[in-house]
Amino acid sequence: MTINRRLGVLHGVRVLEIGHFVAAPFAARILADLGADVIKVEPPGGDPVRQWGEQIDGKSLWWSVHGRNKRCITLNLKTERAQSIVHALAAQCDVLIENFRPGQIDKLGLSPETLRRDRPDLIIAHISGYGQSGPYRDRAAFGAIGEAIGGLRHLTNHRPGASDLPPVRAGVSIGDSISGLYAVIGILAALWRREGRDGDRSAHTIDVALTESVLSLMEGMLPEYGALAKIKQPTGGGIATAAPSDAYPTADGGWVLIAANSEPLFAKLMGLMGREELVGAQGFRGNQERVENVAAMDALIADWTRSYGTSALIDKLTQADIPNSKVYTAADCASDPQYLHRGMIQSVDDPAFDGPVTHVGIVPRIDGENGVRWPGPPLGAHTREVLHELLAMNDAAIDALRADGVV
Amino acid sequence: MTINRRLGVLHGVRVLEIGHFVAAPFAARILADLGADVIKVEPPGGDPVRQWGEQIDGKSLWWSVHGRNKRCITLNLKTERAQSIVHALAAQCDVLIENFRPGQIDKLGLSPETLRRDRPDLIIAHISGYGQSGPYRDRAAFGAIGEAIGGLRHLTNHRPGASDLPPVRAGVSIGDSISGLYAVIGILAALWRREGRDGDRSAHTIDVALTESVLSLMEGMLPEYGALAKIKQPTGGGIATAAPSDAYPTADGGWVLIAANSEPLFAKLMGLMGREELVGAQGFRGNQERVENVAAMDALIADWTRSYGTSALIDKLTQADIPNSKVYTAADCASDPQYLHRGMIQSVDDPAFDGPVTHVGIVPRIDGENGVRWPGPPLGAHTREVLHELLAMNDAAIDALRADGVV
């Protein structure tokens, strides 16, 4: 059969999102980006992200991206009628994704058992700070704390002794995003088990913890500690096992990444700096000596880079074929020729702002497709459409629900 | 039908990995963790990660985790016979994943077109620094540079003016891992499109770029720049829109995260510090004033936290019900009761080290399963088994390939 590719490879999958903040909504957005029909349930007050970050007329710009490609309905889940509607909707969905505190959906009458009474093969994905079981399961999930418990915060710092400032956080909720990506993986794997070759036609449950999602990226940290009692330490802007490789300052206050840790690249860099005598000199002989001598060597390189403006330095390094890059800001990303060529910077018309909003393109790119269907919708924009289409409710019935504060 | 759950939900999916370093092998490991039969092709010298990080007798501890649950075969892809073997293996695989520079597999006689001659519905996932098209496609992919171009490095830094040190890098290859997760999402979505309800029985191609994977996590950065020309700036250990929330120093040189940015939590914290007079005082009235006054306020809090050892401080904060956490090191992760309860810290017997190696458990957890099947195998450990099982080669034929340097 022919698929309408413009609809995305997940066309035909329907997802009910009872999510808020970042992790579950981000996961559902990835599914929506790939073509799933995502129905996002919000309380009548809306997901708080609608007011997060920079706003225009009280409307968050981030929401335009975070809510895109979904259908948004409101339901006051404290009412029994709304809970019945969730049951009826879930019966027509392949997947339910939620990120309440563990156990909270059961208290709302939406336990997996009751939901699966109407839809026995419903795939349910839970995202939480610490997981659905264990002694910490009821603790509040703060992204920053989850990243710390996952081991990431300790490693995101200058080398021990280099600074009195605290370890830093990436300026984004990276732990939430990573757990969202893992939830998508769990959902899609479960869909394949349910419906793929030799599918089992059964329900599956995904239990993603923010802490565990971060911990799973820590590479050699656990095995090295287990075998050698070695506690992995941060390395600032550098890499523990290769030097020089770091961000170096420029005359205009910018930073340029230089990766010149192979012997030929190091020799090229020293040549460019007019310091050929350091090639093969003590403290610079081979990667291992340079790693041990990294502070002194980086200071030498920084003295040199500081005498050039950012673009002059990049030109010099590029001409010498030494891997380098500006440390991109939002402005650099938005004007990068490669991103523009690949449709990764898109102008999406958003009626909420009476004009185009800059969106990131769709990742992962499948079969070359990269089209955003629509921006984050206004609160409750699809309540009537969804209740009519999926539950065959007429306008009068929906008006009654609205009058009673159910939707 | 009944599934043997111990085999994982992806039991029945076969993946050919022609990957090296981090991104493609990490993606394939996630698939293997979930039960796919992953056949990893290595050159006779092996994937360099076999020697990365801390080692015992020349064997990387990280490899025990990075290579786990896969079958490892060697093939010298510069020989035509090895290329024919890849064709024959791919014909029996659902998915091929690779992270050579774009175009390199074509030069090895392994173009998508020729591979699909024998397996018309082969799903192919490419991971590269900048993607398979566009002006930068041929540039070398360095993880650190990809993270910078994705916008992450700029945001992983102290607040502007707070430090002369460069922006930092997480001590792990986070850009590679994130692109690996996206590749898994692409592969599973394509499998569902191929074989799920209304499946199209067709090939699909996934094109994941490290830079784009990072950029996709930048939340409001692009829309805020596009609409307001606002360039998102780093916020050190804090959060741009909430205070106090940061890591604070302790008497024994540790760091404790404190998230007390709501009014009741801030009042509790000031009470604990004996500074009740600051609640409602100028510069501390509400989150907005605290965000503007964050440097002075954090200095006050740090003066107080520095007078306690790490565990005494944590006890005090926990008793007062103020969200907090130690900044976990490897040692903290390995002994955390929640991780231990959920099987996230596992002892996996590894013959390469004559004993157990500490592994992270499997993420995402599906249907409660969390068992590692086997640790990263020795180089070529499964060459004979795979060539026999999939291509019906006998021992003499395999010995001949070995004698000729093909395997």
Side-chain angles (χ1 to χ4, degrees):
Chain A
M1 65 169 291
T2 314
I3 286 289
N4 182 339
R5 303 234 172 208
R6 284 182 45 241
L7 296 174
V9 293
L10 293 183
H11 176 58
V13 175
R14 186 176 286 142
V15 178
L16 192 64
E17 175 202 318
I18 312 184
H20 56 303
F21 303 143
V22 180
F26 180 72
R29 191 201 99 199
I30 301 290
L31 295 166
D33 278 358
L34 297 180
D37 177 18
V38 174
I39 298 168
K40 177 179 172 76
V41 175
E42 292 173 87
D47 187 326
V49 176
R50 290 179 178 276
Q51 273 84 44
W52 280 12
E54 299 293 325
Q55 301 166 34
I56 295 176
D57 295 338
K59 287 175 269 188
S60 154
L61 285 152
W62 178 13
W63 174 259
S64 184
V65 177
H66 199 55
R68 75 186 184 189
N69 295 335
K70 301 181 184 180
R71 298 202 278 177
C72 290
I73 72 172
T74 53
L75 281 174
N76 179 358
L77 294 181
K78 290 173 190 151
T79 68
E80 280 186 26
R81 282 156 77 196
Q83 296 165 9
S84 300
I85 291 172
V86 169
H87 273 96
L89 291 174
Q92 297 197 49
C93 287
D94 296 291
V95 177
L96 182 141
I97 179 165
E98 65 95 13
N99 64 338
F100 283 106
R101 279 211 207 187
Q104 183 63 25
I105 59 163
D106 304 65
K107 288 181 195 150
L108 293 169
L110 303 171
S111 70
E113 296 69 32
T114 61
L115 290 165
R116 286 179 178 145
R117 230 175 268 151
D118 298 321
R119 174 82 193 207
D121 66 353
L122 185 67
I123 291 164
I124 299 180
H126 308 281
I127 307 182
S128 59
Y130 301 88
Q132 302 293 311
S133 59
Y136 296 178
R137 85 164 214 151
D138 295 323
R139 292 196 183 179
F142 288 81
I145 286 177
E147 288 150 23
I149 289 176
L152 184 64
R153 181 70 73 108
H154 176 67
L155 294 177
T156 311
N157 198 356
H158 299 287
R159 294 170 195 273
S163 165
D164 290 333
L165 293 165
V168 306
R169 182 176 192 228
V172 292
S173 310
I174 200 154
D176 285 290
S177 304
I178 292 167
S179 50
L181 294 176
Y182 273 118
V184 173
I185 289 171
I187 288 166
L188 295 174
L191 273 172
W192 193 87
R193 170 52 52 215
R194 194 177 86 178
E195 301 194 15
R197 194 167 66 236
D198 304 327
D200 64 5
R201 314 290 151 195
S202 296
H204 296 279
T205 301
I206 296 108
D207 170 4
V208 170
L210 198 155
T211 50
E212 297 174 358
S213 299
V214 172
L215 183 70
S216 78
L217 306 190
M218 293 299 113
E219 304 181 338
M221 184 189 83
L222 283 175
E224 291 172 1
Y225 174 73
L228 305 170
K230 184 186 145 65
I231 295 178
K232 197 173 168 78
Q233 297 298 343
T235 53
I239 300 176
T241 52
S245 170
D246 211 322
Y248 298 89
T250 63
D252 47 24
W255 295 94
V256 171
L257 278 160
I258 303 176
N261 47 285
S262 75
E263 298 317 300
L265 289 173
F266 179 69
K268 273 187 197 175
L269 179 62
M270 292 302 110
L272 211 54
M273 290 167 55
R275 299 300 298 266
E276 292 87 348
E277 78 279 9
L278 295 177
V279 180
Q282 208 189 340
F284 299 87
R285 273 185 304 235
N287 192 49
Q288 189 55 39
E289 276 196 22
R290 292 193 298 267
V291 164
E292 284 159 21
N293 187 35
V294 66
M297 184 189 59
D298 278 349
L300 270 176
I301 298 172
D303 279 346
W304 175 73
T305 59
R306 243 184 239 111
S307 59
Y308 294 92
T310 301
S311 41
L313 179 63
I314 286 175
D315 286 348
K316 261 187 118 59
L317 291 162
T318 305
Q319 274 163 33
D321 222 12
I322 297 169
N324 73 87
S325 169
K326 201 174 163 186
V327 174
Y328 272 38
T329 66
D332 300 312
C333 292
S335 62
D336 179 73
Q338 177 76 0
Y339 284 145
L340 291 167
H341 178 91
R342 288 182 40 97
M344 284 304 295
I345 309 291
Q346 299 191 11
S347 268
V348 175
D349 191 56
D350 190 337
F353 299 101
D354 285 328
V357 171
T358 308
H359 277 229
V360 67
I362 286 169
V363 180
R365 175 188 299 246
I366 306 182
D367 298 336
E369 286 301 316
N370 198 353
V372 174
R373 292 180 290 162
W374 62 81
L379 183 61
H382 301 93
T383 304
R384 196 170 288 271
E385 172 185 307
V386 167
L387 295 183
H388 179 67
E389 178 190 320
L390 270 68
L391 306 187
M393 283 192 191
N394 60 27
D395 280 348
I398 296 167
D399 290 340
L401 290 172
R402 188 152 284 164
D404 294 347
V406 176
V407 303
Chain B
M1 64 170 292
T2 314
I3 285 289
N4 182 339
R5 302 237 174 208
R6 283 182 45 242
L7 297 174
V9 293
L10 292 184
H11 175 59
V13 175
R14 187 176 285 143
V15 178
L16 192 64
E17 174 203 319
I18 313 185
H20 56 305
F21 303 144
V22 179
F26 180 72
R29 191 202 98 199
I30 302 290
L31 295 166
D33 278 359
L34 297 180
D37 177 18
V38 174
I39 298 168
K40 177 180 172 73
V41 175
E42 291 173 86
D47 188 325
V49 176
R50 290 179 177 276
Q51 274 84 44
W52 279 12
E54 298 293 326
Q55 301 167 35
I56 295 177
D57 295 337
K59 286 175 268 188
S60 154
L61 284 152
W62 179 12
W63 174 257
S64 183
V65 177
H66 198 54
R68 76 186 184 190
N69 295 335
K70 300 180 185 181
R71 299 201 279 178
C72 290
I73 71 171
T74 53
L75 281 175
N76 178 357
L77 294 181
K78 289 173 191 152
T79 68
E80 280 187 26
R81 282 155 77 193
Q83 295 165 10
S84 300
I85 291 172
V86 170
H87 273 97
L89 291 174
Q92 298 198 48
C93 287
D94 297 291
V95 176
L96 183 142
I97 180 165
E98 66 93 14
N99 65 337
F100 283 105
R101 280 213 208 184
Q104 183 63 24
I105 59 164
D106 304 65
K107 288 183 194 149
L108 293 169
L110 304 170
S111 70
E113 295 69 32
T114 62
L115 291 165
R116 285 179 178 146
R117 229 175 269 151
D118 298 322
R119 174 82 194 207
D121 66 353
L122 184 67
I123 291 165
I124 299 180
H126 308 281
I127 307 181
S128 59
Y130 300 88
Q132 303 293 311
S133 58
Y136 297 178
R137 84 164 214 152
D138 295 322
R139 292 197 185 179
F142 289 80
I145 286 177
E147 289 150 24
I149 289 177
L152 183 63
R153 180 70 72 109
H154 176 67
L155 294 177
T156 311
N157 198 356
H158 299 288
R159 292 170 197 273
S163 165
D164 290 333
L165 292 164
V168 307
R169 183 177 191 227
V172 291
S173 310
I174 201 155
D176 285 291
S177 305
I178 292 167
S179 50
L181 295 175
Y182 272 119
V184 173
I185 289 171
I187 288 166
L188 294 174
L191 272 171
W192 192 88
R193 170 50 53 214
R194 194 176 87 178
E195 301 195 15
R197 193 167 66 237
D198 303 327
D200 64 4
R201 313 290 151 196
S202 296
H204 296 279
T205 302
I206 296 108
D207 170 4
V208 170
L210 198 155
T211 49
E212 296 173 0
S213 298
V214 172
L215 182 70
S216 77
L217 306 189
M218 294 299 112
E219 303 180 338
M221 184 188 83
L222 283 176
E224 292 171 1
Y225 174 73
L228 306 169
K230 185 186 144 67
I231 295 178
K232 197 174 169 77
Q233 296 299 342
T235 53
I239 299 177
T241 53
S245 171
D246 211 322
Y248 298 89
T250 63
D252 47 25
W255 294 95
V256 171
L257 277 160
I258 304 177
N261 47 285
S262 74
E263 298 317 300
L265 290 173
F266 180 68
K268 275 189 196 174
L269 179 62
M270 291 304 108
L272 211 54
M273 288 168 56
R275 300 299 299 266
E276 291 87 348
E277 79 278 10
L278 294 177
V279 179
Q282 206 188 342
F284 300 87
R285 273 186 303 238
N287 193 49
Q288 189 56 37
E289 276 197 22
R290 293 194 298 268
V291 164
E292 283 159 20
N293 186 35
V294 67
M297 183 190 59
D298 278 349
L300 271 176
I301 299 172
D303 279 347
W304 175 73
T305 59
R306 244 185 238 110
S307 59
Y308 294 93
T310 302
S311 41
L313 180 63
I314 286 175
D315 286 349
K316 261 187 118 61
L317 291 162
T318 304
Q319 275 163 32
D321 222 12
I322 297 169
N324 72 88
S325 169
K326 200 174 164 188
V327 174
Y328 272 38
T329 66
D332 300 311
C333 292
S335 61
D336 178 75
Q338 177 75 2
Y339 284 146
L340 291 166
H341 178 92
R342 290 187 32 103
M344 284 304 294
I345 309 290
Q346 299 192 11
S347 268
V348 175
D349 192 56
D350 190 337
F353 298 100
D354 284 329
V357 171
T358 309
H359 277 229
V360 68
I362 286 169
V363 179
R365 175 188 300 247
I366 306 181
D367 299 335
E369 288 299 317
N370 197 352
V372 174
R373 292 180 292 161
W374 61 81
L379 183 63
H382 301 92
T383 303
R384 196 170 288 271
E385 174 185 305
V386 167
L387 295 183
H388 179 67
E389 180 190 321
L390 270 69
L391 306 188
M393 282 191 192
N394 61 26
D395 280 348
I398 297 166
D399 290 341
L401 289 172
R402 189 152 284 164
D404 293 347
V406 176
V407 302

